[in-house]
């Protein structure tokens, strides 16, 4: 959920999350930003678990969105 006026039309937003696992949370957040009229500028996570395929899922659904992780385990 997101408050309907949290992101205005054309506002750039960065998604910051603790863990990138399956990519479900990130994709849901990207959809909310789009629905609000905002522009997703990227995704930043502290930890990424590549074996769960989150980065692949995001790049398949949103190929233009960069994903940055501090640690990859």
């Amino acid at each position: 959920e997101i408050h309907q006026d949290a992101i205005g039309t054309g506002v750039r937003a960065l998604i910051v999350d603790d863990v990138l696992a399956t990519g479900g949370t990130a994709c849901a957040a990207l959809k909310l930003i789009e629905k609000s009229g905002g522009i997703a500028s990227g995704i930043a996570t502290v930890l990424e678990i590549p074996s769960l395929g989150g980065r692949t899922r995001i790049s398949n659904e949103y190929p233009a969105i960069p994903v940055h992780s501090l640690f990859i385990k």
Side-chain angles (χ1 to χ4, degrees), residues 1-38:
E1 290 183 31
I2 188 171
H3 198 274
Q4 66 186 30
D5 64 355
I7 300 173
T9 302
V11 172
R12 295 176 57 87
L14 172 67
I15 297 168
V16 180
D17 200 0
D18 57 350
V19 178
L20 173 57
T22 65
T25 301
C27 287
L30 289 165
K31 288 176 187 160
L32 286 171
I33 291 169
E34 283 181 343
K35 191 173 182 178
S36 298

Side-chain angles (χ1 to χ4, degrees), residues 2 8-9 16-17 21 28 36 40-41 46 49 52 56 58 64 67 71-72:
I2 188 171
T9 302
V16 180
D17 200 0
S36 298
S41 59
V46 176
I49 306 169
L52 297 178
T56 302
I58 294 165
V67 178
F71 298 105
I72 300 175

